[in-house]
Amino acid sequence: MLQSKLFTKTERTFPKDEEAANARFLERAGFIYKNSAGVYSYLPLGWRVIQKLVAIIREEMDAIGGQEMFMPALHDKRYLSATGRWDVDVVFKVLDGKNPKPAFSLSWTHEELITELASKYVHSYKDLPFSAYQIQTKFRNEPRAKSGLLRGREFMMKDLYSFHRDEEDLDRFYDIVKEAYFNVFKRAGIQAVYTLAAGGDFTSSNTHEFQAICPVGEDTIYVCSKCAYAENKEISKLSGGGRCPKCEGKIKEEKAIEVGNIFPLGAKYSDAFDLRYTDEKGEKNPVVMGSYGIGVSRLMATVVEMYHDEKGIVWPESVAPFKVHLLELAGASASPAEAGRKSAKKIYEDLQKIGVEVLYDDRKASAGEKLTDADLIGLPFRLVVSPKTGDKIEVKKRNEEITKIMSFEEVIKLLGN
Ligand code: ATP
Ligand code: MG
């Protein structure tokens, strides 16, 4: 993409009303726009990052047999009423204009909707197991929406739901999802700790959270430094400096960001919506369910919290909006032929031809401005073409200090896979 055509611009200073690093960098670099507290627009650069994350998540969910679908954001009151969740604190309620009382809520989660619709299709043990997921907007009226994309009042979630004949089959699938979640976080550059946690408004059982250790995290976890066994402080009897119940290793107390949460739901929702199946003996049994969430927008924020320096974001390649930032510095385009070099425009076109995603800074701006923007936006590879580089290209990785001078062929070798 040509940077001169990008409708967003970077800013010289940080936004005044944001404290969290993710919001400060993402807004200043033009990835997101704050519409109100906890409500953001994803601008072209930011949307590309979301799409990279979504692609990773979709691949991993499809690989375990998850069937993608899409459910409404507007929920009739009867859904939450059926499970006693209509009055959960964070639920946004909607007036329809005629009725003085709210008759709808905005999607804060989707267990009720999917359970009801599954009851139309599940009749026999032969219809089980299966799992379905969506990537969709959730609304929660969070009292503390001050951490940028880490805690939105409107945010993006991937939610998967699974349906089983018994607890044993749920347990089997639960472990499969666990591995898929580790893959998702690893591919996004995040090392997540599998943490025993409470069920909140979802289930009376324990659940498991995927926690990214990070000083700005709002959760506190106790994690074993030897075997990585972990518990959320909310439910834990462990303490920092104590011994791990599994391996006697030393327990550390850490701040962490909850990037995912998986829940064994049992029959709570099946009972509420009469989701039952007939087994081989002709007996009716409730379907056993699980639900599994990943905060997609929170994950993007977590990546920024983990990967930035004082100059800007340092995107891991897997989720960067573009792989390469190509900068053409003043004078470079004057006489490329004379200098025997490829013009920046030609480099841009040739890289795209071999499938490399490039943001090409073709603007009439000073070298200082372009270099500062490149650090702020944080693409993994910076290529500079200037009168000084002659017929070569200066190459620098965002996460390294050294610059190298390379021929175009060497650049292709470096980037073209
Ligand atoms: P938290 O404890 O942080 O409020 P939660 O436990 O209520 O989150 P879940 O219902 O488990 O959240 O939602 C699944 C996932 O969605 C979470 O693991 C998190 O990654 C993400 N998520 C939850 N709330 C938000 C939010 N307000 N903004 C962004 N992401 C969120
Ligand atoms: Mg949770």
Side-chain angles (χ1 to χ4, degrees):
M1 156 147 227
L2 298 179
Q3 204 168 336
S4 62
K5 299 279 190 263
L6 190 63
F7 84 84
T8 61
K9 309 273 182 289
T10 59
E11 289 181 51
R12 281 172 197 275
T13 54
F14 286 112
K16 290 193 180 63
D17 58 343
E18 296 281 19
E19 294 159 24
N22 75 86
R24 285 162 66 78
F25 283 117
L26 289 170
E27 276 179 54
R28 189 177 154 197
F31 285 72
I32 60 172
Y33 174 87
K34 181 179 182 170
N35 296 89
S36 47
V39 182
Y40 292 88
S41 297
Y42 299 92
L43 303 171
L45 289 176
W47 190 242
R48 288 182 74 98
V49 176
I50 291 284
Q51 292 309 316
K52 293 276 165 83
L53 289 168
V54 162
I56 292 173
I57 292 170
R58 186 172 278 138
E59 255 181 57
E60 296 295 339
M61 293 302 104
D62 290 350
I64 60 171
Q67 302 172 43
E68 188 167 5
M69 61 185 293
F70 194 79
M71 288 182 274
L74 196 59
H75 298 182
D76 194 294
K77 184 176 178 184
R78 73 186 160 82
Y79 285 108
L80 294 183
S81 297
T83 51
R85 298 207 288 180
W86 176 253
D87 286 317
V88 166
D89 278 351
V90 295
V91 174
F92 276 106
K93 293 170 185 166
V94 184
L95 290 174
D96 65 9
K98 285 180 247 113
N99 189 340
K101 283 193 183 152
F104 292 91
S105 60
L106 293 179
S107 52
W108 75 288
T109 181
H110 282 78
E111 281 81 9
E112 286 84 354
L113 274 79
I114 198 159
T115 309
E116 184 199 67
L117 71 85
S119 71
K120 179 173 173 185
Y121 302 102
V122 174
H123 305 291
S124 140
Y125 67 94
K126 291 178 193 151
D127 300 322
L128 299 169
F130 73 96
S131 63
Y133 73 100
Q134 64 173 352
I135 295 159
Q136 210 241 25
T137 304
K138 300 282 191 272
F139 301 87
R140 295 184 185 179
N141 199 359
E142 302 276 4
R144 296 164 292 143
K146 282 197 213 128
S147 326
L149 296 185
L150 284 178
R151 186 169 292 286
R153 293 196 299 159
E154 173 174 338
F155 61 97
M156 203 178 294
M157 193 199 286
K158 184 285 303 171
D159 39 332
L160 171 79
Y161 303 88
S162 71
F163 300 82
H164 310 270
R165 57 178 301 156
D166 50 29
E167 294 286 341
E168 199 184 333
D169 195 57
L170 168 64
D171 291 349
R172 173 193 62 79
F173 189 69
Y174 199 80
D175 282 342
I176 291 175
V177 177
K178 171 184 168 184
E179 290 313 311
Y181 269 40
F182 277 128
N183 292 344
V184 166
F185 298 126
K186 196 168 160 215
R187 289 177 65 182
I190 302 294
Q191 204 196 328
V193 178
Y194 191 65
T195 307
L196 192 70
D201 291 309
F202 292 85
T203 172
S204 50
S205 314
N206 278 333
T207 71
H208 291 91
E209 294 168 342
F210 292 77
Q211 295 279 3
I213 292 174
C214 183
V216 302
E218 290 179 9
D219 285 36
T220 304
I221 63 169
Y222 293 121
V223 53
C224 173
S225 37
K226 204 164 140 198
C227 74
Y229 175 77
E231 295 182 359
N232 194 309
K233 188 175 183 175
E234 284 172 6
I235 58 146
S236 184
K237 293 192 178 70
L238 304 175
S239 60
R243 292 285 150 196
C244 173
K246 306 280 169 193
C247 77
E248 293 287 301
K250 199 168 164 202
I251 295 289
K252 276 171 75 180
E253 180 175 319
E254 301 277 11
K255 289 278 170 208
I257 301 169
E258 180 197 321
V259 285
N261 200 173
I262 62 178
F263 304 79
L265 299 175
K268 174 175 171 179
Y269 300 90
S270 313
D271 286 342
F273 289 93
D274 198 30
L275 172 59
R276 295 191 290 165
Y277 72 95
T278 310
D279 66 19
E280 291 90 333
K281 291 185 218 132
E283 278 164 25
K284 287 213 177 239
N285 305 286
V287 171
V288 175
M289 291 173 56
S291 86
Y292 316 84
I294 292 179
V296 182
S297 43
R298 181 180 287 184
L299 185 54
M300 171 168 167
T302 305
V303 171
V304 177
E305 295 291 344
M306 306 280 243
Y307 295 94
H308 70 265
D309 59 20
E310 68 291 344
K311 292 177 185 161
I313 306 167
V314 186
W315 291 109
E317 223 177 294
S318 57
V319 300
F322 295 90
K323 185 170 181 176
V324 171
H325 207 157
L326 172 63
L327 316 190
E328 178 176 40
L329 301 190
S333 61
S335 51
E338 207 170 292
R341 73 168 160 261
K342 255 183 188 322
S343 67
K345 183 163 173 282
K346 188 84 173 69
I347 294 169
Y348 170 60
E349 289 166 356
D350 287 354
L351 283 175
Q352 292 200 111
K353 263 184 218 152
I354 58 160
V356 179
E357 295 174 319
V358 186
L359 179 64
Y360 168 28
D361 192 349
D362 58 332
R363 298 170 305 162
K364 290 199 167 40
S366 72
E369 224 171 305
K370 291 191 177 195
L371 293 166
T372 303
D373 272 1
D375 282 338
L376 179 62
I377 292 171
L379 304 182
F381 292 91
R382 187 187 76 191
L383 305 186
V384 174
V385 179
S386 77
K388 272 195 226 150
T389 55
D391 62 350
K392 300 278 201 306
I393 301 166
E394 182 198 279
V395 182
K396 182 183 171 295
K397 285 178 86 169
R398 179 63 180 87
N399 62 2
E400 288 175 7
E401 281 311 311
I402 45 161
T403 56
K404 285 184 191 150
I405 301 293
M406 293 186 177
S407 68
F408 180 70
E409 289 67 33
E410 288 169 324
V411 168
I412 293 273
K413 247 192 214 148
L414 179 70
L415 301 173
N417 48 43

